[in-house]
Amino acid sequence: MSAHDHHDHADHTDHDHHGHGHHHAPANFNAAFAIGISLNIAFVAIEAFYGWKVNSLALLADAGHNLSDVIGLVLAWGGALAGKLTPDSRYTYGRKRAGIVAAFVNAVLLLVAMGSLGWEAVLRLQSPEPAEGFTMMAVASVGIVINAATALLFMRGSEHDLNLRGAYLHMAADALVSAGVVVAGGLALWLGWAWIDPVVSLLIAAVIVWGTWSLFKQSLHLLFDGVPDSVDLAAVDTLLTALPGVARVHDLHVWAMGTTDIALTAHLVMPDGGADDAFLQHATTQLHDRFGIDHVTLQVVREPFSQGCKA
């Protein structure tokens, strides 16, 4: 249909103008990933050695968690790089969804790591063993610096990209775990409480599970083509219906192609026609400006000829 063809031109014009930043944003984080992974691998080795040497569950658990973070960062980096691959005849959208998959796996990894930490802490509570508080505090203090610094590298991107948010949450959680280990070491030194090590570990695990749950739910939602949280579907329907000449909107779909790209398809029922380039350009611009939807495909019909899906 000619109106659909016209729109293709309008869509690409708008997308080239507005979507430019989206395609190049992940490139800014290559250095962040490389630095974060290198720092954390070094710290895992240090922390595991001293945790084993002084018999601290909190230090060993933190080392294990840090190792899961290294894997998480590798996953997130892979997702960001895969999302930048050029679309081809086999993958017409490219591999943008890799970032959503990476965020989901990151969340699962973190939840499993915390479940394991919680289980170990419960077992240790039944037979508390004294730990070297000073060593715990010294090693964990280094962890706070490394993890907080790595988290800051991803903070800028975490607001708009679910994949980067996964990396940010992982590192921020690690900084919190390290802070908890410092507290546990201090109390063990001051009061001689052997049980404080596993108790602090349990508290940390609970806080991190609570913080990670939203990332898990959101990434799972997007994996099943759910409407992104930033988009109000009823408001999108209202916007399209309010366009001049549109009687109603038919077969409306909104989904996330990746962690920063949202797509929309819809049939606009226009009994009197009138969908020229200017009309479609206006609709595309409105959808981008109000909802951040970059990939818009509008099919204009005088009479709906397909059943569509019930939204």
Side-chain angles (χ1 to χ4, degrees):
M1 171 165 277
S2 61
H4 192 193
D5 295 338
H6 282 317
H7 166 68
D8 286 341
H9 171 71
D11 178 29
H12 288 305
T13 303
D14 176 73
H15 177 64
D16 290 345
H17 175 68
H18 292 288
H20 183 77
H22 289 290
H23 285 291
H24 297 285
N28 300 333
F29 294 92
N30 283 336
F33 280 118
I35 293 167
I37 289 168
S38 302
L39 284 174
N40 278 273
I41 287 175
F43 185 58
V44 165
I46 294 167
E47 197 168 33
F49 172 75
Y50 281 103
W52 165 75
K53 191 175 178 184
V54 304
N55 193 34
S56 165
L57 175 64
L59 272 182
L60 286 171
D62 196 19
H65 178 225
N66 257 295
L67 184 60
S68 82
D69 272 355
V70 171
I71 299 167
L73 285 174
V74 170
L75 274 170
W77 197 4
L81 292 174
K84 291 168 60 190
L85 292 175
T86 308
D88 55 34
S89 59
R90 293 280 290 165
Y91 296 93
T92 56
Y93 276 142
R95 280 80 164 179
K96 294 181 186 298
R97 187 156 294 201
I100 298 175
V101 175
F104 174 73
V105 175
N106 225 330
V108 171
L109 195 65
L110 194 48
L111 290 172
V112 169
M114 289 304 101
S116 169
L117 169 57
W119 179 252
E120 282 296 320
V122 169
L123 292 178
R124 180 67 71 93
L125 261 178
Q126 294 169 5
S127 53
E129 298 175 27
E132 250 184 69
F134 180 75
T135 305
M136 283 171 63
M137 292 175 73
V139 175
S141 295
V142 176
I144 294 174
V145 175
I146 288 176
N147 294 315
T150 310
L152 286 173
L153 293 173
F154 297 105
M155 188 166 71
R156 181 167 54 88
S158 68
E159 295 172 22
H160 310 293
D161 187 327
L162 193 68
N163 185 32
L164 293 177
R165 187 173 155 228
Y168 169 72
L169 273 179
H170 241 118
M171 303 319 302
D174 243 4
L176 185 64
V177 172
S178 296
V181 174
V182 171
V183 171
L187 289 173
L189 271 177
W190 182 33
L191 300 169
W193 292 346
W195 53 264
I196 196 70
D197 186 21
V199 166
V200 167
S201 299
L202 273 175
L203 286 173
I204 291 166
V207 169
I208 292 171
V209 166
W210 180 78
T212 307
W213 193 248
S214 67
L215 178 69
F216 173 76
K217 282 199 306 181
Q218 197 176 352
S219 55
L220 184 63
H221 175 73
L222 295 183
L223 276 178
F224 284 92
D225 288 328
V227 177
D229 290 348
S230 60
V231 177
D232 179 346
L233 195 65
V236 170
D237 192 292
T238 300
L239 183 150
L240 292 173
T241 307
L243 293 170
V246 176
R248 65 183 186 277
V249 177
H250 191 63
D251 208 14
L252 171 63
H253 297 280
V254 178
W255 71 99
M257 292 164 53
T259 52
T260 58
D261 294 86
I262 303 173
L264 173 149
T265 60
H267 294 180
L268 303 182
V269 181
M270 301 179 69
D272 301 321
D276 58 8
D277 276 10
F279 172 90
L280 293 166
Q281 178 73 59
H282 172 69
T284 301
T285 303
Q286 286 276 92
L287 288 166
H288 176 275
D289 292 349
R290 283 193 55 186
F291 303 105
I293 301 172
D294 284 314
H295 300 267
V296 176
T297 304
L298 299 173
Q299 180 167 317
V300 177
V301 295
R302 291 180 186 274
E303 288 291 334
F305 53 81
S306 64
Q307 286 295 321
C309 299
K310 300 297 180 190

